[in-house]
Amino acid sequence: MPTCDICGASGGIRHAWKPTPVKVKTEMLQLRLMEKKHELARRDDVDALVDQIAGTVLTHLSDMSARCSRDMVVRRNIDAVVTEIRREISEACSKMADECNEPPLDEQD
């Protein structure tokens, strides 16, 4: 039966977690250790990094037609494909967010 890495609880029947001073202190020490080992990151830092990466990808996708051709017909075709790809990425990300029960962007802080 699988056990929890943090508290040692085994799978199967779930029992309510009863915080005792020892368990709380142990969990806090484990979190501090994970942070020092760079196994733990702040959510705001991760969100900012993801935004930065996404912005870079979208900027380079938008520049693709100019890099590929000087022919305006070819550029329009490339731009249409890039727009389609951006829409597909957006839909895939929205689906993943829905599966993780993330609130819509207009409802977030």
Side-chain angles (χ1 to χ4, degrees):
M1 217 180 271
T3 59
C4 175
D5 291 338
I6 295 174
C7 67
S10 61
I13 299 173
R14 291 187 158 196
H15 299 284
W17 184 70
K18 296 177 185 169
T20 64
V22 173
K23 286 182 181 178
V24 170
K25 187 170 183 175
T26 301
E27 187 172 337
M28 289 301 297
L29 289 171
Q30 287 176 330
L31 289 171
R32 283 188 196 151
L33 181 61
M34 290 172 69
E35 191 172 19
K36 286 185 189 282
K37 292 167 106 179
H38 300 288
E39 295 173 354
L40 193 62
R42 296 190 192 290
R43 173 96 187 229
D44 291 343
D45 294 341
V46 173
D47 288 345
L49 180 61
V50 169
D51 286 346
Q52 212 173 11
I53 292 168
T56 301
V57 169
L58 294 177
T59 298
H60 287 283
L61 278 175
S62 297
D63 293 342
M64 190 182 320
S65 64
R67 290 180 175 193
C68 290
S69 178
R70 291 181 181 201
D71 184 324
M72 292 309 289
V73 174
V74 173
R75 280 190 184 189
R76 280 195 287 276
N77 289 337
I78 293 169
D79 286 337
V81 172
V82 167
T83 300
E84 184 179 332
I85 289 170
R86 289 180 66 166
R87 188 175 301 111
E88 290 170 1
I89 290 170
S90 174
E91 290 170 0
C93 290
S94 292
K95 182 180 176 187
M96 286 186 280
D98 290 343
E99 290 170 357
C100 294
N101 297 318
E102 285 287 324
L105 289 175
D106 57 353
E107 293 178 16
Q108 293 181 8
D109 300 344

